[in-house]
Amino acid sequence: MTRGLTTPEYGNSLWIPYNTVTWLQHPQITIRQSTIDYITDKYVMFEDGDNLGFDYLIVALGVGRHAPIGVGAETRDEFEIMLRETHANIKAAQSVTVVGAGAVGIELAADVKEVFPDKYVRLVHSREQVLAGPFSVTLRQRVEQALVQMGVEVVLGQRVVKQRQISDDKDNLETAQLGGQISIANDMNCNRSARLPELTSAAVTNAELTLANGERLQSDWTVQCLGAQTRPILQLASKGLTGSDGIRVRGTMQVDDIRYPHIYACGDACSHSAVKLAGVAMHNGFVAARNIARCVLMGGPRAADTLLEQSPDFPAKILLLLGRSHCAMQVGDVLWDEERARQFVFEDMGLAQCVNALSLTSVPIATSPFDHPPSPK
Ligand SMILES: Cc1cc2nc3c(=O)[nH]c(=O)nc-3n(C[C@H](O)[C@H](O)[C@H](O)COP(=O)(O)OP(=O)(O)OC[C@H]3O[C@@H](n4cnc5c(N)ncnc54)[C@H](O)[C@@H]3O)c2cc1C
């Protein structure tokens, strides 16, 4: 998405409608485009007031991120307009500030600097080193060095405590960051915006930022990349099931409450992995789907309980693409050198690999439904 904002032609290729995915056009698969309001243990409630009952459910709603990284568009047109407008704002800016040097903020700052080398690009981060998560000090140093080499000003150990939009007509859009959370003052619909933060933007033009040390910075285009939020969407009688790292799950991908063995949570939405990655999300989905198949074949979750498959723990992993010229990678505890990491770096940022892995343009080869049969007792 970061590359999509700086290079809209690339961004446009990221929108792949479900109705173009051949294998999804199956009489037993129904795709419904709708926004979920909340989920109980028996049905899914949509925003339009309709609801859908279920025997089994997989919650795979990802995490919420404010636009423009989080995508709130419902149609290709809306998506392309959002990309165009964001790109125009970045292009028109002389100075760009990215607040938050997690993976997204780092890649965005690098992409902006690479596409617009003459712009002044600043990356502000509250900690003494870039990048949160279980990664080595050396990786963090490498990333910081690469950013500096590219010409990004990296401001560490400084929290943005206030952000004020300067233009008169937009005073009501003033945003303030307090305690690491962004709050958008003109957004009255708190529940909906907590569920769908992508509907509000974390980017502003022409802002004044105040740092914790009192320093004030002017910035023509500013975006807050302060991490993702778990969506408060499950309405189950289960206290603490949804934490800051997602919906708590067991190794089987069932939610961690024995009262709801028919509800699964996968991918970014769940707490399964410390580092949220697309490959892990996919694998979670496979495990959940196979476990549901086992439950159906065995006559219910209780009967199938001891036969259910456990999802393995995956090592923490990250591949950061800093524009096209630099990358940094760590797998588990091992830091990869750039040359080795480059085998996973593609001009299209791996889009073709993802499209192939998900068979988005072709029909997957049929395999026997008994590839993963429940083993006999
Ligand atoms: C900028 C960026 C770069 C990344 N780079 C990498 C990378 O290089 N490698 C990697 O492995 N991972 C990367 N990730 C993480 C990766 O994108 C996620 O791990 C992956 O998409 C998770 O898949 P998911 O299916 O769990 O959730 P998502 O892909 O987020 O899908 C969730 C879907 O649910 C929909 N939804 C949410 N709420 C509702 C609702 N209320 N009603 C209806 N629908 C709803 C959303 O619109 C979305 O389509 C990156 C993420 C970002 C933001």
Side-chain angles (χ1 to χ4, degrees), residues 29 63 69-70 75 97 156 159 170 184 206 254 261 270 284 361:
I29 297 177
V63 280
I69 296 296
T75 63
T97 305
L156 296 174
R159 188 178 287 281
K170 292 197 175 160
I184 296 193
N206 201 17
Q254 290 162 300
C270 78
N284 289 168
T361 53

Side-chain angles (χ1 to χ4, degrees), residues 1-3 18 32-39 44-47 59-65 69-73 103-105 107-108 195-198 228 231 233 266-270 275-282 284 317-321 349 354:
M1 197 55 201
T2 57
R3 182 81 42 97
Y18 291 121
R32 170 174 179 160
Q33 184 174 7
S34 200
T35 303
I36 296 165
D37 197 359
Y38 60 88
I39 295 170
V44 172
M45 177 57 85
F46 298 103
E47 273 193 351
V59 180
L61 294 171
V63 280
R65 285 190 173 84
I69 296 296
V71 176
V104 174
E107 290 198 341
L108 183 55
R195 262 188 297 115
L196 299 166
E198 39 279 273
R231 300 182 195 277
I233 212 155
C266 292
D268 285 8
C270 78
V275 181
K276 314 252 184 209
L277 292 169
V280 175
M282 243 172 88
N284 289 168
K317 187 168 82 173
I318 197 160
L319 168 59
L320 282 168
L321 303 181
M349 296 187 95
C354 293

Side-chain angles (χ1 to χ4, degrees), residues 171-188:
D171 269 355
N172 63 333
L173 275 175
E174 181 173 307
T175 63
Q177 185 209 332
L178 298 166
Q181 296 294 313
I182 183 169
S183 64
I184 296 193
N186 71 337
D187 188 349
M188 302 304 287

